[in-house]
Amino acid sequence: MNHGEHHYFVLRTADLVASSEFFAELLGWEIDGGELTNVAFFGAITEDFDRAIWVHVEDCDAACAEVVELGGSHDPILDQQSGRNATCRDDQGNTFHIGTLIPEYQDYPHPDPLPEGELAYFTVPVGDPERAVAFYGSLFGWTFDPPGGAVRAEYRHCTNGSLPFGFVSDGDVTPAFYFRVADAAGAGEVVTKLGGRAGQVVDSESGISLIGSVDPTGVHFDLWQPAPGFA
């Protein structure tokens, strides 16, 4: 696990049991006390914490100091089971989360390609993607493609992240999580059958997505069927 790599995601729900049962049926997740136990990237469904994704940093205290130097801010640094963590805000006020993982968690395997049900991709609405590229590039060493793309003109894709992601100017949720499925159309039917709402179908060169899907408790998520040649 290197500095600037994502390692953990959280979905906030109003009903832990209902959401756990929904995603177990839809994506094959095995969930114990809200924690996902059979995914490559650590994940959780919880009633207690905000929707989020976490970034590993070599030194949480030093990273927080750099956040402030770049015009952001951070909450008190906490020592938790997984390591030393902090909730931060960038120079636009967008919230993000960092942590220095203990060695046990740094060595956790990430198979390639990721199997069905894994978090395969995400986007983050940041207001001004150009400012975000400058801020997070300095903080984490991320590099980005130029703006432009088939779906969103302002989209900035990170070129050196272990988990594919990018910045957009706006969105319904932050971050927007895309989970891998083998059959997007079939998965959409399962979403509806289980009492959720399947999202809008978007077909692009990278595959077929269901954007804006919702589980029966109101948890937003997206599904992605990779096109041939896309991991």
mmCIF file of all heavy atoms in Angstrom, residues 26-51:
data_model
loop_
_atom_site.group_PDB
_atom_site.id
_atom_site.type_symbol
_atom_site.label_atom_id
_atom_site.label_comp_id
_atom_site.label_asym_id
_atom_site.label_seq_id
_atom_site.Cartn_x
_atom_site.Cartn_y
_atom_site.Cartn_z
ATOM 1 N N LEU A 26 -27.478 -8.870 -4.241
ATOM 2 C CA LEU A 26 -27.148 -8.257 -5.527
ATOM 3 C C LEU A 26 -25.697 -8.499 -5.944
ATOM 4 O O LEU A 26 -25.428 -8.855 -7.097
ATOM 5 C CB LEU A 26 -27.419 -6.753 -5.473
ATOM 6 C CG LEU A 26 -27.046 -5.946 -6.722
ATOM 7 C CD1 LEU A 26 -27.925 -6.361 -7.906
ATOM 8 C CD2 LEU A 26 -27.181 -4.450 -6.450
ATOM 9 N N LEU A 27 -24.766 -8.303 -5.016
ATOM 10 C CA LEU A 27 -23.341 -8.318 -5.353
ATOM 11 C C LEU A 27 -22.557 -9.453 -4.701
ATOM 12 O O LEU A 27 -21.342 -9.554 -4.908
ATOM 13 C CB LEU A 27 -22.702 -6.976 -4.968
ATOM 14 C CG LEU A 27 -23.260 -5.738 -5.684
ATOM 15 C CD1 LEU A 27 -22.612 -4.476 -5.150
ATOM 16 C CD2 LEU A 27 -23.060 -5.847 -7.192
ATOM 17 N N GLY A 28 -23.240 -10.269 -3.904
ATOM 18 C CA GLY A 28 -22.546 -11.376 -3.273
ATOM 19 C C GLY A 28 -21.672 -10.985 -2.101
ATOM 20 O O GLY A 28 -20.785 -11.748 -1.693
ATOM 21 N N TRP A 29 -21.915 -9.791 -1.537
ATOM 22 C CA TRP A 29 -21.108 -9.364 -0.390
ATOM 23 C C TRP A 29 -21.388 -10.230 0.828
ATOM 24 O O TRP A 29 -22.540 -10.583 1.113
ATOM 25 C CB TRP A 29 -21.424 -7.915 -0.024
ATOM 26 C CG TRP A 29 -20.899 -6.912 -1.001
ATOM 27 C CD1 TRP A 29 -20.088 -7.141 -2.075
ATOM 28 C CD2 TRP A 29 -21.168 -5.508 -0.998
ATOM 29 N NE1 TRP A 29 -19.832 -5.964 -2.733
ATOM 30 C CE2 TRP A 29 -20.474 -4.952 -2.102
ATOM 31 C CE3 TRP A 29 -21.926 -4.683 -0.176
ATOM 32 C CZ2 TRP A 29 -20.522 -3.587 -2.383
ATOM 33 C CZ3 TRP A 29 -21.974 -3.330 -0.471
ATOM 34 C CH2 TRP A 29 -21.276 -2.783 -1.558
ATOM 35 N N GLU A 30 -20.350 -10.573 1.552
ATOM 36 C CA GLU A 30 -20.462 -11.207 2.860
ATOM 37 C C GLU A 30 -20.171 -10.127 3.906
ATOM 38 O O GLU A 30 -19.131 -9.477 3.862
ATOM 39 C CB GLU A 30 -19.488 -12.365 2.975
ATOM 40 C CG GLU A 30 -19.775 -13.484 1.983
ATOM 41 C CD GLU A 30 -18.727 -14.576 1.991
ATOM 42 O OE1 GLU A 30 -17.827 -14.524 2.865
ATOM 43 O OE2 GLU A 30 -18.802 -15.468 1.125
ATOM 44 N N ILE A 31 -21.118 -9.930 4.820
ATOM 45 C CA ILE A 31 -21.072 -8.777 5.715
ATOM 46 C C ILE A 31 -21.171 -9.248 7.155
ATOM 47 O O ILE A 31 -22.058 -10.034 7.505
ATOM 48 C CB ILE A 31 -22.220 -7.803 5.392
ATOM 49 C CG1 ILE A 31 -22.133 -7.365 3.920
ATOM 50 C CG2 ILE A 31 -22.190 -6.588 6.307
ATOM 51 C CD1 ILE A 31 -23.360 -6.646 3.423
ATOM 52 N N ASP A 32 -20.252 -8.796 7.993
ATOM 53 C CA ASP A 32 -20.233 -9.154 9.413
ATOM 54 C C ASP A 32 -20.182 -7.866 10.221
ATOM 55 O O ASP A 32 -19.173 -7.172 10.235
ATOM 56 C CB ASP A 32 -19.015 -10.027 9.723
ATOM 57 C CG ASP A 32 -18.978 -10.504 11.166
ATOM 58 O OD1 ASP A 32 -19.947 -10.236 11.900
ATOM 59 O OD2 ASP A 32 -17.981 -11.141 11.559
ATOM 60 N N GLY A 33 -21.298 -7.549 10.894
ATOM 61 C CA GLY A 33 -21.336 -6.319 11.680
ATOM 62 C C GLY A 33 -21.165 -5.067 10.857
ATOM 63 O O GLY A 33 -20.646 -4.058 11.347
ATOM 64 N N GLY A 34 -21.596 -5.118 9.597
ATOM 65 C CA GLY A 34 -21.453 -3.976 8.715
ATOM 66 C C GLY A 34 -20.193 -3.989 7.882
ATOM 67 O O GLY A 34 -20.104 -3.299 6.867
ATOM 68 N N GLU A 35 -19.178 -4.778 8.277
ATOM 69 C CA GLU A 35 -17.918 -4.835 7.546
ATOM 70 C C GLU A 35 -17.996 -5.881 6.440
ATOM 71 O O GLU A 35 -18.461 -7.001 6.660
ATOM 72 C CB GLU A 35 -16.759 -5.188 8.494
ATOM 73 C CG GLU A 35 -16.457 -4.123 9.536
ATOM 74 C CD GLU A 35 -15.772 -2.907 8.951
ATOM 75 O OE1 GLU A 35 -15.099 -3.031 7.906
ATOM 76 O OE2 GLU A 35 -15.901 -1.822 9.557
ATOM 77 N N LEU A 36 -17.535 -5.518 5.239
ATOM 78 C CA LEU A 36 -17.474 -6.455 4.131
ATOM 79 C C LEU A 36 -16.237 -7.334 4.299
ATOM 80 O O LEU A 36 -15.122 -6.820 4.469
ATOM 81 C CB LEU A 36 -17.407 -5.713 2.799
ATOM 82 C CG LEU A 36 -18.727 -5.165 2.244
ATOM 83 C CD1 LEU A 36 -19.363 -4.141 3.167
ATOM 84 C CD2 LEU A 36 -18.502 -4.558 0.868
ATOM 85 N N THR A 37 -16.437 -8.636 4.255
ATOM 86 C CA THR A 37 -15.337 -9.555 4.560
ATOM 87 C C THR A 37 -14.790 -10.279 3.346
ATOM 88 O O THR A 37 -13.822 -11.026 3.470
ATOM 89 C CB THR A 37 -15.798 -10.603 5.594
ATOM 90 O OG1 THR A 37 -16.896 -11.359 5.048
ATOM 91 C CG2 THR A 37 -16.250 -9.939 6.883
ATOM 92 N N ASN A 38 -15.380 -10.077 2.173
ATOM 93 C CA ASN A 38 -14.926 -10.819 0.993
ATOM 94 C C ASN A 38 -14.642 -9.909 -0.193
ATOM 95 O O ASN A 38 -14.838 -10.285 -1.340
ATOM 96 C CB ASN A 38 -15.959 -11.882 0.600
ATOM 97 C CG ASN A 38 -17.280 -11.278 0.125
ATOM 98 O OD1 ASN A 38 -17.671 -10.217 0.587
ATOM 99 N ND2 ASN A 38 -17.963 -11.964 -0.793
ATOM 100 N N VAL A 39 -14.170 -8.689 0.073
ATOM 101 C CA VAL A 39 -13.817 -7.756 -0.995
ATOM 102 C C VAL A 39 -12.348 -7.400 -0.901
ATOM 103 O O VAL A 39 -11.742 -7.473 0.170
ATOM 104 C CB VAL A 39 -14.671 -6.464 -0.933
ATOM 105 C CG1 VAL A 39 -16.123 -6.768 -1.225
ATOM 106 C CG2 VAL A 39 -14.513 -5.776 0.405
ATOM 107 N N ALA A 40 -11.764 -7.027 -2.038
ATOM 108 C CA ALA A 40 -10.348 -6.693 -2.064
ATOM 109 C C ALA A 40 -10.069 -5.382 -1.335
ATOM 110 O O ALA A 40 -9.114 -5.271 -0.578
ATOM 111 C CB ALA A 40 -9.856 -6.616 -3.509
ATOM 112 N N PHE A 41 -10.922 -4.385 -1.587
ATOM 113 C CA PHE A 41 -10.782 -3.114 -0.886
ATOM 114 C C PHE A 41 -11.696 -3.152 0.328
ATOM 115 O O PHE A 41 -12.862 -3.486 0.214
ATOM 116 C CB PHE A 41 -11.159 -1.943 -1.792
ATOM 117 C CG PHE A 41 -10.183 -1.713 -2.900
ATOM 118 C CD1 PHE A 41 -10.355 -2.332 -4.123
ATOM 119 C CD2 PHE A 41 -9.080 -0.901 -2.725
ATOM 120 C CE1 PHE A 41 -9.453 -2.148 -5.151
ATOM 121 C CE2 PHE A 41 -8.172 -0.705 -3.738
ATOM 122 C CZ PHE A 41 -8.352 -1.333 -4.958
ATOM 123 N N PHE A 42 -11.151 -2.848 1.503
ATOM 124 C CA PHE A 42 -11.963 -2.857 2.711
ATOM 125 C C PHE A 42 -13.199 -1.985 2.505
ATOM 126 O O PHE A 42 -13.133 -0.916 1.892
ATOM 127 C CB PHE A 42 -11.165 -2.312 3.902
ATOM 128 C CG PHE A 42 -10.006 -3.172 4.296
ATOM 129 C CD1 PHE A 42 -8.707 -2.711 4.172
ATOM 130 C CD2 PHE A 42 -10.212 -4.442 4.801
ATOM 131 C CE1 PHE A 42 -7.624 -3.491 4.540
ATOM 132 C CE2 PHE A 42 -9.140 -5.235 5.171
ATOM 133 C CZ PHE A 42 -7.841 -4.762 5.036
ATOM 134 N N GLY A 43 -14.332 -2.432 3.036
ATOM 135 C CA GLY A 43 -15.554 -1.666 2.888
ATOM 136 C C GLY A 43 -16.505 -1.922 4.035
ATOM 137 O O GLY A 43 -16.358 -2.895 4.791
ATOM 138 N N ALA A 44 -17.496 -1.049 4.177
ATOM 139 C CA ALA A 44 -18.465 -1.190 5.261
ATOM 140 C C ALA A 44 -19.773 -0.533 4.876
ATOM 141 O O ALA A 44 -19.806 0.415 4.084
ATOM 142 C CB ALA A 44 -17.932 -0.556 6.549
ATOM 143 N N ILE A 45 -20.860 -1.067 5.444
ATOM 144 C CA ILE A 45 -22.168 -0.434 5.413
ATOM 145 C C ILE A 45 -22.477 -0.049 6.855
ATOM 146 O O ILE A 45 -22.380 -0.877 7.751
ATOM 147 C CB ILE A 45 -23.250 -1.395 4.889
ATOM 148 C CG1 ILE A 45 -22.877 -1.909 3.498
ATOM 149 C CG2 ILE A 45 -24.601 -0.707 4.825
ATOM 150 C CD1 ILE A 45 -23.835 -2.967 2.981
ATOM 151 N N THR A 46 -22.824 1.198 7.094
ATOM 152 C CA THR A 46 -22.975 1.652 8.473
ATOM 153 C C THR A 46 -24.087 2.678 8.615
ATOM 154 O O THR A 46 -24.420 3.385 7.659
ATOM 155 C CB THR A 46 -21.651 2.258 8.989
ATOM 156 O OG1 THR A 46 -21.826 2.762 10.308
ATOM 157 C CG2 THR A 46 -21.194 3.397 8.087
ATOM 158 N N GLU A 47 -24.633 2.763 9.807
ATOM 159 C CA GLU A 47 -25.615 3.794 10.152
ATOM 160 C C GLU A 47 -24.941 4.974 10.857
ATOM 161 O O GLU A 47 -25.598 5.971 11.134
ATOM 162 C CB GLU A 47 -26.683 3.205 11.072
ATOM 163 C CG GLU A 47 -27.486 2.076 10.451
ATOM 164 C CD GLU A 47 -28.369 1.356 11.457
ATOM 165 O OE1 GLU A 47 -27.851 0.920 12.513
ATOM 166 O OE2 GLU A 47 -29.583 1.243 11.190
ATOM 167 N N ASP A 48 -23.649 4.857 11.152
ATOM 168 C CA ASP A 48 -22.984 5.795 12.060
ATOM 169 C C ASP A 48 -22.052 6.795 11.391
ATOM 170 O O ASP A 48 -21.758 7.841 11.965
ATOM 171 C CB ASP A 48 -22.178 5.015 13.109
ATOM 172 C CG ASP A 48 -23.049 4.078 13.923
ATOM 173 O OD1 ASP A 48 -24.182 4.471 14.261
ATOM 174 O OD2 ASP A 48 -22.601 2.956 14.204
ATOM 175 N N PHE A 49 -21.556 6.490 10.196
ATOM 176 C CA PHE A 49 -20.553 7.345 9.563
ATOM 177 C C PHE A 49 -21.002 7.778 8.173
ATOM 178 O O PHE A 49 -21.770 7.086 7.514
ATOM 179 C CB PHE A 49 -19.206 6.612 9.472
ATOM 180 C CG PHE A 49 -18.672 6.173 10.798
ATOM 181 C CD1 PHE A 49 -18.803 4.848 11.200
ATOM 182 C CD2 PHE A 49 -18.073 7.067 11.662
ATOM 183 C CE1 PHE A 49 -18.327 4.427 12.428
ATOM 184 C CE2 PHE A 49 -17.597 6.657 12.888
ATOM 185 C CZ PHE A 49 -17.726 5.335 13.276
ATOM 186 N N ASP A 50 -20.482 8.900 7.729
ATOM 187 C CA ASP A 50 -20.840 9.419 6.419
ATOM 188 C C ASP A 50 -20.238 8.569 5.309
ATOM 189 O O ASP A 50 -19.208 7.912 5.485
ATOM 190 C CB ASP A 50 -20.346 10.863 6.268
ATOM 191 C CG ASP A 50 -21.134 11.839 7.122
ATOM 192 O OD1 ASP A 50 -22.290 11.518 7.456
ATOM 193 O OD2 ASP A 50 -20.592 12.909 7.460
ATOM 194 N N ARG A 51 -20.885 8.600 4.170
ATOM 195 C CA ARG A 51 -20.362 7.966 2.959
ATOM 196 C C ARG A 51 -18.966 8.523 2.689
ATOM 197 O O ARG A 51 -18.756 9.743 2.711
ATOM 198 C CB ARG A 51 -21.313 8.298 1.815
ATOM 199 C CG ARG A 51 -20.967 7.718 0.460
ATOM 200 C CD ARG A 51 -21.903 8.324 -0.570
ATOM 201 N NE ARG A 51 -21.818 7.649 -1.839
ATOM 202 C CZ ARG A 51 -22.653 6.687 -2.231
ATOM 203 N NH1 ARG A 51 -23.657 6.324 -1.438
ATOM 204 N NH2 ARG A 51 -22.516 6.106 -3.395
#
